[in-house]
Amino acid sequence: MKGYSAAWYIPPNEWPQGVEDALMEVCAPWLAIEEQRVNEQFEEYDTFQELEAECLHTARGSLDAVRFAISVALCNSAATPLGENYELLDEEPIYMQCEHPIFYGEVFQSEEYKALAEVVKQSQLKAEQLRKGPPDLLTREEFQSTMARMETSIITAVNGGTADAASAADAAAVLPST
């Protein structure tokens, strides 16, 4: 299942522009209103303790979880089923195979959902190509670039969001030559 770890799930920040807002508005019209309300309440307090006392971290986390669950459900329904050996089947996406009335509703008939379904399809097709063939080997330069990006990400996380730009270039320069 190597190539299919999550080929059907596309994070909302990778959806075509405007698709997430449009689909969330149809699926959970209250969500954006509550997110705005919680964000405004965050501005009223200065300390973690005050935010914690008002349960605002929990409220924000819960709303994030709802948004995530909806995005998973939308991507899952847009996915093409896999066979016993995790091969991509020559079938319609799940939402087109189901007779339940929910799949005839506004969300699944919208242009935004069709755009998302196309993104999911392309991701699955790419994963299928990886599954069928051996992985491409990285060149030395690609490997060094990848390692430098990874080091920058780690440094950024450790430093709380800041990384010295020179450190990534330095990392690439000291990698052993082959």
Side-chain angles (χ1 to χ4, degrees), residues 92-171:
E92 295 290 336
I94 293 168
Y95 81 100
M96 294 179 80
Q97 294 184 33
C98 295
E99 296 292 326
H100 193 280
I102 193 171
F103 294 108
Y104 297 102
E106 182 180 353
V107 172
F108 299 100
Q109 302 305 312
S110 71
E111 291 304 313
E112 292 84 4
Y113 184 77
K114 291 175 185 171
L116 174 60
E118 183 60 30
V119 172
V120 170
K121 177 182 177 180
Q122 293 306 315
S123 177
Q124 285 191 288
L125 289 172
K126 183 178 178 182
E128 179 68 4
Q129 290 304 312
L130 289 174
R131 186 190 69 78
K132 286 181 176 179
D136 294 332
L137 298 177
L138 295 177
T139 65
R140 175 177 165 70
E141 292 78 23
E142 291 169 330
F143 173 76
Q144 287 177 331
S145 175
T146 300
M147 293 302 294
R149 281 194 314 275
M150 290 171 60
E151 181 181 19
T152 299
S153 295
I154 292 167
I155 291 169
T156 300
V158 169
N159 290 339
T162 60
D164 179 5
S167 64
D170 293 341

